[in-house]
């Protein structure tokens, strides 16, 4: 641990020393629904509806005659019987792309107050704030109903809008799939001026209720509130609420489904359990409100670091999705009934901006979400390898020793990370020269082995005039303001701090310049960035965050944009890294906080987890939830951030981490050092082997990232997404497929486990990746695999071709000229297919066709390699559809000498009579084993091995197998 000399740093050291005592999650630091005024009053509507006699509880909202806004868009004035003088508008649009995506917006109009609702969430979350609309939708209206027909001709989609009371139903083939306001829970609070005289007379406790403006009409079912409606005090903080109550609620019903997924980020099962009713798993709704939470619970609906208001509903015959574009504090209740799943959403502020994704299968939901928010761009190839991090590597010698020790232990490494102690007094950008006297020398030493470094840049800026970042931001007037208009100040790692307002466009070009090598002179192009604490985390703020009445650019309150805040910081940092080089290189920026659309800017991780068995077991479901919501480049701190895991647990953490898209080991400053090379055998060997396996399979991971960059498909694919008709797999969230590779992985998460069960949906043979043991085709079977500490379940689905690079070097960039191995697991039909995507791994030449994309096909008689190109209908905005051209493709020419060094074919029924490549017979061997792909009993697979076939990765070729 460092020795600090200043009083401030001494205080921080004392704080750190107390961390093991004080950092256990304090649930009392974070609000529950009953402690938030908007949630109390809006959630209570559902209780009244539940208890009301049939036919007595109806929505107060009705529609007047529609008008056409433009082709594909219609508008209805909305009347509320609660306040007939208050005006709302409903606008419905049918998007041109996505096979029938519908957008529903409701906002208050013509308010007599100076207030307006926050309506810019789409600006930050979507690729286009106003996506193009279809020209083929049509509407039929009567006095009580309007029906819109839309989508492809074979989809038979329609939207039925009931005028009074308001209800909107999405149907396919006349069957309802999404119902808005089925339970009449939609309510949008209108702007009003506080009646100060009445307020002074209402000396009510937190639990007492008062009817807002309840003079002529009983509005209590929808308008009950408490004294906190216009000003709210929680613990020692007071929220001034200058606009008064502005929350809204909505109910969404999904008929005919039993499973809903999404709403990341929560430490909860993938298939979301109930928060209400007799089968409630939780007593609180799922909360979407980005917070800095220490040692979070392994199973809880509490807020975590990110918020994506996306939900999938799934059954064996259809899938649908909803994206609720709201960035304010939001609570969501889930309740499974016999006829479907009902959800209730309550948000503190904003407009209703709801997108209905029609599916009809998970694959289409991923593509539709990608059309709206964009796919994950290809990251730098090296960032998909192994990252080593700790709070903190103490100095330059420590960094270089870690780097050297990995080499001595023959363990590959691509990235070494620096936490907050690298910076003088936590002034990010300013190196502490006492411990890092020559940062460029250190970075260059690491980079000489093909490696990179990452340094943390947090959003809190030390408030001292001698710090250039603070003085610049103050002079530019781009700091977040308090409600009184003065710059907001709070406490974080730097001590007294301010925060840059990245909603202010004047901050953007300035922030980009901060990363210019002429300004940040002690950085190099081998240094990348980590954005932590960007929820934002404010140690002395309410819920360890920023007051909700703080002011951002445009006059918007922090309550309106809270969940977007971290994404704005992430976005600008990523763009700064792109701008710092010419030609531009792909950025790598890790963020802790995220929102819908954050995947466009880089990776995230699941925050301050614990090195415990229950946290290890829960990470898979969390990451699967992130993946189906577009946040595919995600991972968890391997080993757990807090605690000192046993050797067994640490090995199991590494096995799990090696199959996360983002693979990083990280640990708290008070934990014991646990770099892999520190352990004795066999533990060191187990960890070394799993890290090396990650490097061998990097082609599989890069294939998966490439597929995701085209159409938004998950990298970690849950069972229901791969087999959407197998109901037995819908709730499985402890195993998954790696992209479209056919690799099925399951982490071992039980202490002392010597065997592990894996569920198989399809009637295909599966092969043990390590031993080539064959498990015969049988749908809906559960395999029991032996899993001593040295191994874990990793299976190859029959019909798959797995590319790998078996020669592991010190870092992944050093492997670029190494040959490939193809492992072919034949299907029960004796066939298989796969792919290999390659580019330079760092630049943007691939957008101009500078890539190699090969499809491999085995039909039982021949194995062929052919060029592959993206579909012209791909949702990717940055990958060219230019087909591979060996004459004008610099990337292909650079690796034209790279060969396939070995081909292994598993499951053949008979030994080949001959094998020919361009008329020549290569060297090959065949082992009959005891089983093949048509076997009915388990056994060692037959194995054909073709050595040095002489074919390369850039050309078309065919191997004939007679």
């Amino acid at each position: 641990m460092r020795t600090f000399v200043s009083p401030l740093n001494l205080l921080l050291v004392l704080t750190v020393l107390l961390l093991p005592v004080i950092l256990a999650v304090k649930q009392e630091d974070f609000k529950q629904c009953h402690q938030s005024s908007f949630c109390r009053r809006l959630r209570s509507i559902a209780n009244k509806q539940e208890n009301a006699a049939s036919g007595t509880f109806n929505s107060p909202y009705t529609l007047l005659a529609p008008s056409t806004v433009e082709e594909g868009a219609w508008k209805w004035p909305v009347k509320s019987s609660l306040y007939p003088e208050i005006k709302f508008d409903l606008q419905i649009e049918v998007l041109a792309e996505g096979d029938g995506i519908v957008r529903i917006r409701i906002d208050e109009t013509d308010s007599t107050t100076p207030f307006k609702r926050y309506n810019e969430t789409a600006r930050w979350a979507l690729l286009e704030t106003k996506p193009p609309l279809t020209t083929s939708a049509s509407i039929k209206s009567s006095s009580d109903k309007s029906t819109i027909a839309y989508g492809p001709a074979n989809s038979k989609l329609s939207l039925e809008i009931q005028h009074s009371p308001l209800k909107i139903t999405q149907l396919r083939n006349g069957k309802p799939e999404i119902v808005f306001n089925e339970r009449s829970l939609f309510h949008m609070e209108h702007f009003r001026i506080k009646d100060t005289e009445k307020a002074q007379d209402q000396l009510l406790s937190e639990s007492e209720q008062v009817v807002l403006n309840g003079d002529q009409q009983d509005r209590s079912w929808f308008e009950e509130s408490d004294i906190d409606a216009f000003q709210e005090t929680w613990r020692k903080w007071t929220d001034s609420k200058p606009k008064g109550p502005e929350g809204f609620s909505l109910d969404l019903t999904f008929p005919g489904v039993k499973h809903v997924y999404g709403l990341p980020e929560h430490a909860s099962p993938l298939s979301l359990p109930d928060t209400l009713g007799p089968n409630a798993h939780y007593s609180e709704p799922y909360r979407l409100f980005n917070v800095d939470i220490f040692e979070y619970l392994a199973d809880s609906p509490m807020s975590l670091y990110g918020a994506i208001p996306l939900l999938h509903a799934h059954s064996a015959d259809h899938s649908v999705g909803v994206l609720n574009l709201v960035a304010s504090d939001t609570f969501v209740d889930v309740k499974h009934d016999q006829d479907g799943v009902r959800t209730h959403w309550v948000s503190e502020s904003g407009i209703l901006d709801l997108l209905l994704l029609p599916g009809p299968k998970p694959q289409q939901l991923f593509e539709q979400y990608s059309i709206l928010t964009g796919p994950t761009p290809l990251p730098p190839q090296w960032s998909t390898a192994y990252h080593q991090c700790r709070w903190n590597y103490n100095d330059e010698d420590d960094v270089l020793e870690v780097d050297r020790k990995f080499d001595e232990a023959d363990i590959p490494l691509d990235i070494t990370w620096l936490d907050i102690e690298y910076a003088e007094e936590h002034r990010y950008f300013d190196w502490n020269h006492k411990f890092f006297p020559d940062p460029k020398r250190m970075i260059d030493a690491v980079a000489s082995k093909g490696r990179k470094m990452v340094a943390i840049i947090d959003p809190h800026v030390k408030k001292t005039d001698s710090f250039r970042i603070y003085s610049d931001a103050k002079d530019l007037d781009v700091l977040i303001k308090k409600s009184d208009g003065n710059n907001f100040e709070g406490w974080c790692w730097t001590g007294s701090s301010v925060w840059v307002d990245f909603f202010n466009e004047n901050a953007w070009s300035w922030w980009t310049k901060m990363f210019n090598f002429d300004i940040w002179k002690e950085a190099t192009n081998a240094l990348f960035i980590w954005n932590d604490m960007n929820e934002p985390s404010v140690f002395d703020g309410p819920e360890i965050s920023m007051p909700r009445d703080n002011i951002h650019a445009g006059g918007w309150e922090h309550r309106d944009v809270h969940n977007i805040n971290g994404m704005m910081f992430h976005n600008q940092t990523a763009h700064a890294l792109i701008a710092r080089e010419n030609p531009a290189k792909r950025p790598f920026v890790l963020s802790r906080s995220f929102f819908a659309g954050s995947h466009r800017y880089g990776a995230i991780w699941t925050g301050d987890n614990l090195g415990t068995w229950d946290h290890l077991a829960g990470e898979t479901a969390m990451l699967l939830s992130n993946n189906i919501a577009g946040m595919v480049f995600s991972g968890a701190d391997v080993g757990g951030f807090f605690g000192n895991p046993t050797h067994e647990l640490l090995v199991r953490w590494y096995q799990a981490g090696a199959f996360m898209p983002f693979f990083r080991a990280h640990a708290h400053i008070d934990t014991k050092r646990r770099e892999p090379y520190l352990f004795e055998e066999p533990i060191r060997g187990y960890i070394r082997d799993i890290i090396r396996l990650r490097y061998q399979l990097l082609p599989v991971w890069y294939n998966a990232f490439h597929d995701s960059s085209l159409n938004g498909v998950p990298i970690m694919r849950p069972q229901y997404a791969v087999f959407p008709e197998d109901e037995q797999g819908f709730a499985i969230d402890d195993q998954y497929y790696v992209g479209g590779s056919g690799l099925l992985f399951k982490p071992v998460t039980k202490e002392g486990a010597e065997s592990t069960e894996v569920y198989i949906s399809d009637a295909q043979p599966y092969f043990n990746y390590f031993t080539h043991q064959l498990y015969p085709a049988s749908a809906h079977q559960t395999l029991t695999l032996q899993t001593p500490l040295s191994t874990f379940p990793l299976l190859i689905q029959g019909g798959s071709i797995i590319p790998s690079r078996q020669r592991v070097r010190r870092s992944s960039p050093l492997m670029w000229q190494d040959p490939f191995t193809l492992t072919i697991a034949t299907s029960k039909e004796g066939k298989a297919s796969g792919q290999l995507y390659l580019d330079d791994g760092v630049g943007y030449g691939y957008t101009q066709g500078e890539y190699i994309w090969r499809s491999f096909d085995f039909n039982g008689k021949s194995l062929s390699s052919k060029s592959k190109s993206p579909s012209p209908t791909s949702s990717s905005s940055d990958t060219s559809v230019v087909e591979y051209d060996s004459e004008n493709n610099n990337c292909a020419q650079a690796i034209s000498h790279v060969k396939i060094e070995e081909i292994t074919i598993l499951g053949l029924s008979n030994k080949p009579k001959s094998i020919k490549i361009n008329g020549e017979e290569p060297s090959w061997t065949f082992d009959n084993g005891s089983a093949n792909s048509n076997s009915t009993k388990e056994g060692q697979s037959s194995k054909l091995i073709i050595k040095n076939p002489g074919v390369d990765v850039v050309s078309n070729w065919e191997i004939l197998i007679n």
Side-chain angles (χ1 to χ4, degrees):
M1 182 179 295
R2 288 180 48 190
T3 300
F4 300 92
V5 295
S6 73
L8 171 59
N9 282 335
L10 179 60
L11 175 61
L12 292 177
V13 168
L14 293 175
T15 302
V16 167
L17 291 174
L18 291 174
L19 285 175
V21 177
I22 67 173
L23 290 192
V25 63
K26 291 184 177 181
Q27 296 191 58
E28 65 272 17
D29 283 345
F30 305 98
K31 288 185 176 182
Q32 294 184 336
C33 178
H34 73 276
Q35 295 171 307
S36 290
S37 171
F38 81 91
C39 192
R40 278 199 303 273
R41 58 182 181 265
L42 293 172
R43 195 185 188 210
S44 69
I45 300 174
N47 297 329
K48 301 184 186 81
Q49 189 271 349
E50 184 81 15
N51 296 322
S54 178
T56 63
F57 188 98
N58 293 307
S59 174
Y61 296 91
T62 59
L63 305 184
L64 304 181
S67 60
T68 301
V69 177
E70 58 182 299
E71 197 164 22
W74 299 269
K75 182 179 289 186
W76 289 258
V78 181
K79 179 180 178 180
S80 169
S81 63
L82 300 177
Y83 298 96
E85 72 278 11
I86 305 301
K87 298 179 181 179
F88 299 91
D89 275 343
L90 162 68
Q91 183 159 321
I92 293 180
E93 301 169 345
V94 181
L95 274 55
E97 293 185 88
D99 292 342
I101 299 174
V102 169
R103 188 175 189 180
I104 300 171
R105 285 184 286 178
I106 300 179
D107 194 3
E108 182 177 350
T109 61
D110 301 327
S111 174
T112 58
T113 73
F115 308 134
K116 62 178 180 178
R117 291 178 170 273
Y118 184 70
N119 59 5
E120 295 187 355
T121 302
R123 178 184 177 188
W124 313 116
L126 304 185
L127 281 179
E128 298 181 76
T129 304
K130 185 174 173 55
L133 305 182
T134 185
T135 58
S136 61
S138 62
I139 188 170
K140 294 181 179 179
S141 290
S142 63
S143 60
D144 61 346
K145 185 172 67 174
S146 297
T147 301
I148 300 173
Y150 61 97
N154 60 357
S155 68
K156 297 183 178 179
L157 286 168
S158 61
L159 199 72
E160 187 176 280
I161 303 105
Q162 178 180 291
H163 296 174
S164 182
L166 171 62
K167 184 171 76 170
I168 303 174
T169 306
Q170 177 188 290
L171 306 99
R172 185 183 295 272
N173 292 315
K175 183 179 178 181
E177 294 182 337
I178 307 175
V179 186
F180 168 81
N181 211 30
E182 179 214 40
R183 293 185 286 160
S184 296
L185 303 184
F186 167 69
H187 181 51
M188 183 167 279
E189 296 176 329
H190 69 280
F191 290 125
R192 65 202 89 187
I193 302 299
K194 182 179 180 181
D195 188 331
T196 56
E197 293 182 2
K198 285 185 179 181
Q200 290 173 358
D201 294 335
Q202 294 168 341
L203 302 177
L204 302 180
S205 70
E206 181 182 281
S207 62
E208 291 180 295
Q209 302 288 306
V210 61
V211 178
L212 288 176
N213 296 338
D215 40 4
Q216 298 89 11
Q217 181 179 348
D218 179 10
R219 303 174 177 127
S220 60
W221 277 8
F222 285 87
E223 284 286 320
E224 247 183 25
S225 184
D226 53 51
I227 198 63
D228 290 335
F230 292 93
Q231 179 174 290
E232 188 165 358
T233 299
W234 180 69
R235 301 177 71 175
K236 67 178 183 179
W237 297 280
T238 297
D239 178 3
S240 63
K241 288 183 153 182
K243 292 192 284 187
E246 53 175 322
F248 70 96
S249 68
L250 63 148
D251 67 271
L252 295 169
T253 299
F254 304 95
V257 306
K258 296 180 180 179
H259 297 271
V260 291
Y261 312 98
L263 300 182
E265 185 177 43
H266 293 100
S268 64
L270 175 65
S271 179
L272 297 174
D274 285 353
T275 62
L276 295 169
N279 299 315
H281 182 69
Y282 302 121
S283 59
E284 279 287 303
Y286 299 96
R287 190 181 182 199
L288 295 170
F289 184 74
N290 296 351
V291 295
D292 176 2
I293 185 168
F294 299 114
E295 295 188 343
Y296 56 83
L297 300 174
D299 184 11
S300 170
M302 290 179 68
S303 294
L304 292 179
Y305 311 92
I308 300 180
L310 173 75
L311 196 70
H312 287 184
H314 180 70
S315 70
D317 60 9
H318 77 279
S319 296
V320 291
V322 293
L323 174 61
N324 184 15
L325 288 178
V326 59
S328 64
D329 193 2
T330 297
F331 291 82
V332 185
D333 274 309
V334 172
K335 187 173 183 290
H336 292 70
D337 294 320
Q338 288 187 345
D339 59 345
V341 178
R342 289 170 169 80
T343 65
H344 184 203
W345 307 57
V346 297
S347 299
E348 185 175 17
S349 68
I351 66 169
L352 173 66
D353 193 349
L354 185 68
L355 291 133
L356 309 184
L357 312 183
K361 295 294 182 183
Q363 175 70 26
Q364 286 75 49
L365 290 182
F366 305 138
E367 294 173 357
Q368 288 155 5
Y369 183 73
S370 180
I371 286 169
L372 293 170
T373 64
T376 297
L378 270 172
Q381 181 276 328
W382 51 261
S383 68
T384 67
Y386 177 63
H387 302 243
Q388 181 64 47
C389 185
R390 179 177 177 80
W391 178 24
N392 203 82
Y393 288 121
N394 299 319
D395 51 33
E396 179 178 331
D397 289 342
D398 196 4
V399 168
L400 297 180
E401 181 183 22
V402 170
D403 184 77
R404 183 175 63 255
K405 290 288 188 181
F406 268 86
D407 292 341
E408 292 175 359
D410 197 23
I411 302 173
L413 170 67
D414 266 59
I415 311 97
T416 305
W417 290 56
L418 292 176
D419 211 314
I420 59 177
E421 311 305 337
Y422 85 90
E424 180 71 33
E425 296 183 340
H426 303 143
R427 297 193 311 254
Y428 310 112
F429 294 98
D430 285 1
W431 293 83
N432 187 322
H433 289 114
K434 179 179 179 181
F435 300 100
F436 298 93
D438 192 340
K440 292 183 73 171
R441 177 183 63 196
M442 175 184 67
I443 299 167
D444 288 346
V446 170
S448 67
K449 302 175 183 179
R451 292 171 177 157
K452 309 294 185 293
M453 293 196 70
V454 170
I456 203 165
I457 301 286
D458 282 351
H460 47 274
V461 177
K462 187 172 183 64
K463 183 179 177 292
T464 178
D465 288 331
S466 63
F467 184 33
R468 60 189 173 89
I469 306 297
Y470 170 69
S471 58
D472 280 0
K474 184 179 64 171
D475 292 345
L476 286 169
D477 194 25
V478 292
L479 295 173
I480 297 173
K481 311 297 183 184
K482 296 189 295 183
S483 59
D484 63 9
N486 292 312
N487 290 334
F488 169 72
E489 297 175 21
W491 193 267
C492 206
W493 293 120
T494 60
S496 183
S497 306
V498 295
W499 279 258
V500 176
D501 181 8
F502 286 100
F503 292 92
N504 188 330
E505 295 185 18
N506 293 331
W508 298 353
S509 60
W510 164 74
W511 189 249
T512 295
K513 291 177 183 176
M514 294 302 99
F515 292 85
N516 187 294
F517 297 133
D518 292 333
I519 294 176
W520 193 13
K521 297 181 182 298
E522 294 180 311
T524 80
N525 61 4
L527 181 67
F528 293 82
I529 303 300
W530 173 12
N531 288 163
D532 195 2
M533 314 294 285
N534 53 333
E535 292 73 28
S537 175
V538 183
F539 290 166
D540 58 343
E543 300 195 86
I544 317 178
S545 195
M546 191 169 282
R548 299 178 188 223
D549 56 1
N550 276 3
I551 302 298
H552 292 266
W556 299 115
E557 291 182 279
H558 185 73
R559 80 181 79 251
D560 300 319
V561 301
H562 174 85
N563 286 343
I564 309 176
N565 181 82
M567 179 171 74
M568 298 299 293
F569 185 48
H570 195 192
N571 177 356
Q572 294 308 316
T573 305
H575 279 93
L577 293 197
I578 294 172
R580 71 182 182 176
E581 291 188 74
N582 187 15
K585 298 292 192 300
R586 300 176 216 172
F588 175 81
V589 183
L590 180 76
S591 174
R592 189 170 68 178
S593 180
F594 59 93
F595 188 68
S598 284
H599 56 269
R600 299 194 298 268
Y601 311 121
I604 64 99
W605 90 108
T606 60
D608 295 344
N609 60 356
L610 279 70
T612 61
W613 287 100
D614 58 345
H615 271 254
L616 172 60
E619 294 290 355
T620 301
M622 290 178 66
L623 294 172
L624 288 173
S625 181
N626 286 342
N627 267 253
I628 66 169
M631 203 65 246
V632 299
F633 199 1
S634 56
D637 283 347
V638 171
F641 181 62
F642 291 106
N644 296 300
T646 64
H647 288 178
E648 178 193 3
L649 177 55
L650 186 62
V651 170
R652 294 305 192 190
W653 263 110
Y654 267 94
Q655 292 170 352
F659 284 87
M660 297 174 186
F662 175 55
F663 180 24
R664 181 185 74 157
H666 186 37
H668 187 270
I669 197 169
D670 285 341
T671 61
K672 297 177 182 178
R673 294 288 287 256
R674 43 172 135 113
E675 288 76 15
Y677 54 76
L678 292 174
F679 300 94
E680 300 293 332
E681 297 293 351
I683 301 303
R684 181 197 294 188
Y686 295 155
I687 297 174
R688 177 177 56 238
D689 289 348
I690 187 59
I691 295 175
R692 290 175 64 86
L693 177 63
R694 171 64 169 231
Y695 279 72
Q696 291 170 336
L697 291 176
L698 283 176
V700 170
W701 289 98
Y702 207 52
N703 282 345
F705 274 98
H706 177 248
D707 287 348
S708 188
S709 77
L710 296 179
N711 52 28
V713 292
I715 290 176
M716 295 171 63
R717 298 188 187 178
Q719 204 75 19
Y720 87 89
V722 181
F723 302 103
E725 298 177 2
D726 179 16
E727 294 191 27
Q728 295 182 48
F730 290 175
I732 291 177
D733 59 10
D734 58 357
Q735 63 181 55
Y736 54 91
Y737 288 81
V738 178
S741 66
L743 282 178
L744 173 58
F745 168 73
K746 180 172 182 175
V748 179
T749 60
K750 292 183 179 179
E751 186 173 10
E754 293 289 329
S755 64
T756 304
E757 292 185 343
V758 179
Y759 175 73
I760 303 297
S761 285
D762 55 332
Q764 286 292 348
Y766 277 72
F767 301 78
N768 185 304
Y769 179 87
F770 305 107
T771 67
H772 297 157
Q773 184 82 352
L774 186 151
Y775 305 95
S778 178
H780 316 303
Q781 65 171 318
T782 298
L783 302 178
T784 300
L785 307 181
Q786 298 306 303
T787 54
L789 190 55
S790 60
T791 193
F792 52 89
L794 182 61
L795 302 175
I796 312 175
Q797 180 188 33
S800 306
I801 299 179
I802 307 297
S804 63
R805 274 177 155 150
Q806 295 298 309
R807 303 180 191 181
V808 176
R809 300 187 185 274
R810 293 184 296 185
S811 65
S812 64
L814 302 181
M815 298 168 66
W816 73 280
Q817 298 185 86
D818 286 342
F820 287 83
T821 292
L822 299 182
T823 302
I824 301 172
T826 55
S827 67
K828 63 181 179 181
E829 296 81 17
K831 300 178 180 180
S833 62
Q835 65 171 337
L836 176 64
Y837 174 84
L838 298 168
D839 57 32
D840 72 1
V842 293
Y844 289 97
Y846 70 93
T847 65
Q848 305 301 317
E850 298 279 340
Y851 61 85
I852 297 91
W853 193 12
R854 311 298 300 176
S855 65
F856 302 122
D857 290 287
F858 178 69
N859 62 13
K861 296 181 179 180
S862 68
L863 170 66
S864 63
S865 172
K866 296 179 180 178
S867 181
K868 189 174 182 179
S869 287
S871 165
T873 60
S874 165
S875 65
S876 172
S877 60
D878 65 353
T879 298
S880 170
V881 295
V882 177
E883 188 167 346
Y884 159 68
D885 180 355
S886 61
E887 297 298 323
N888 301 296
N889 187 331
N890 292 328
C891 177
Q893 293 172 10
I895 61 171
S896 60
H897 59 288
V898 175
K899 304 292 185 182
I900 306 292
E901 68 174 345
E902 183 172 295
I903 298 170
T904 297
I905 304 178
L906 305 175
L908 291 179
S909 300
N910 298 296
K911 180 178 180 179
K913 295 180 180 178
S914 67
I915 298 175
K916 297 292 184 181
I917 305 173
N918 295 325
E920 300 292 328
E921 185 94 1
S923 172
W924 59 275
T925 61
F926 182 80
D927 184 345
N928 278 309
S930 58
N932 59 61
S933 293
N934 290 315
S935 297
T936 57
K937 292 184 179 180
E938 177 184 335
Q940 192 67 26
S941 172
S942 65
K943 185 186 306 182
L944 170 65
I945 299 178
I946 304 173
K947 287 282 190 181
N948 297 316
V951 296
D952 58 49
V953 297
V954 301
S955 304
N956 293 340
W957 46 260
E958 184 177 31
I959 301 174
L960 301 177
I961 302 174
N962 181 11

